[in-house]
Amino acid sequence: MTEPQTLPRAPTQAPVLEVSGLKKHFPLKKGLLRRTAGHVFAIDGVSFSIAEGETLGLVGESGCGKSTVARAVLRLVEPTAGSIRLNGSDITHLGKAEMRPHRREMQIIFQDPFASLNPRMSAGDIVGEPLLVHGVARGKDLAERVAALFQQVGLRAAQMRGYPHEFSGGQRQRICIARALALSPKLIVGDEPVSALDVSIQAQVINLMVDLQQEQRLSYLFIAHDLAVVEHISHYIAVMYLGRIVEYADKETLFSRPLHPYTEALLSAVPIPDPKIKRQKRILQGDVPSPVNPPPGCAFHTRCPYVMARCKQEAPRLIELAPGNLVACHLHEAGVKSA
């Protein structure tokens, strides 16, 4: 549909994860013969890389393709096109048996901790299951490893015998984090891991993830819609709209000098804790276009306050206006808006 995006930022070391031109188009089946009548363009040419010890925050409205990116990167859904490299190895087209050793290197923390835990298994068995499946530990060694993981995430070893319904929401998410850490992965994908938690518990879980990253040099792909949370944990931030990245920058640059009109609107909606400070909100008009039939040209032109005739016909390229600062917007190409 469109040319894949590229991010020219070169990390200081070989990236743990490198995604290039990633696409995922879900077919729409209709009729008795279940013929393909169209596609849902969930991801349409996304590229990014994450270095060791680095966090990339992926933000955008619901339905923009963030969670599909997470699942495609982990090969939980098969990508339509593009490439995924993990620690230098291309895992895009590997079969189940070939993927098995790479599964140990990447894990996921889901949004709802209760739904992602087996209610019939004890917390200790849940955390220890990856170690059993991959043949890493058994018996006494397994119990000791699980107890160490519980202590690492702020839980007591005595709680290993409890079941998911006996824990609070924050404790359940700590169990999920312990399970993700069990195989000592290099990459952890957080698919809105704190959005289902109370605000005070969110802070505890985020701080835990930051501490674990510093201790183990973990790489995170952190997906969220709460920009305040993303600002706290991320080193770089990619803003998605309708399956494509529209802006990419380090967090200081993005929050102090957003370039894309969509990013400006997202930031204007972030509440400020000081009632004396007033911020002008930029309310976006209209709804997000359907990914089944995206608009021609720039997908954001139907809601953009700066729309030009060119925007309705030509899709903007993701261009680098400053080192590590990229935006896909004709305003900057045409020089209408200063970089």
Side-chain angles (χ1 to χ4, degrees), residues 57-61 64 66 222-227 230-231 234 237-241 244 247 254-255 262-263 266:
L58 195 59
V59 302
E61 292 173 287
C64 70
K66 304 187 302 295
F222 192 90
I223 295 168
H225 59 265
D226 188 336
L227 288 172
V230 172
E231 182 182 17
S234 302
I237 298 174
V239 181
M240 280 192 71
Y241 186 80
R244 290 175 64 82
E247 186 166 356
L254 187 124
F255 277 84
Y262 180 59
T263 309
L266 290 179

Side-chain angles (χ1 to χ4, degrees), residues 140-253:
K140 184 179 179 181
D141 183 31
L142 176 64
E144 290 176 351
R145 282 175 177 255
V146 173
L149 286 166
F150 266 63
Q151 293 174 352
Q152 197 171 11
V153 298
L155 296 173
R156 302 188 310 276
Q159 294 176 292
M160 291 165 54
R161 295 186 292 273
Y163 285 81
H165 71 273
E166 299 178 274
F167 294 90
S168 67
Q171 289 175 326
R172 291 188 199 116
Q173 199 61 293
R174 288 174 186 268
I175 294 170
C176 294
I177 294 172
R179 178 176 59 185
L181 292 172
L183 295 171
S184 301
K186 298 293 185 183
L187 170 71
I188 292 181
V189 176
D191 187 6
E192 303 201 28
V194 297
S195 63
L197 306 177
D198 293 338
V199 174
S200 60
I201 306 301
Q202 285 184 11
Q204 296 176 20
V205 172
I206 290 297
N207 289 333
L208 171 64
M209 294 181 68
V210 171
D211 292 341
L212 290 170
Q213 182 178 52
Q214 294 173 349
E215 293 170 7
Q216 303 184 28
R217 298 292 295 166
L218 294 169
S219 299
Y220 290 147
L221 174 59
F222 192 90
I223 295 168
H225 59 265
D226 188 336
L227 288 172
V229 171
V230 172
E231 182 182 17
H232 182 69
I233 195 173
S234 302
H235 299 96
Y236 293 88
I237 298 174
V239 181
M240 280 192 71
Y241 186 80
L242 212 64
R244 290 175 64 82
I245 293 176
V246 297
E247 186 166 356
Y248 179 95
D250 62 86
K251 68 176 180 181
E252 289 82 7
T253 300

Side-chain angles (χ1 to χ4, degrees), residues 13-26:
Q13 65 256 17
V16 171
L17 177 68
E18 190 172 12
V19 175
S20 179
L22 186 65
K23 296 185 179 183
K24 180 58 184 178
H25 301 165
F26 293 99

Side-chain angles (χ1 to χ4, degrees), residues 65-83:
K66 304 187 302 295
S67 294
T68 307
V69 169
R71 284 159 173 74
V73 162
L74 296 171
R75 291 285 311 280
L76 298 179
V77 297
E78 294 300 318
T80 303
S83 66

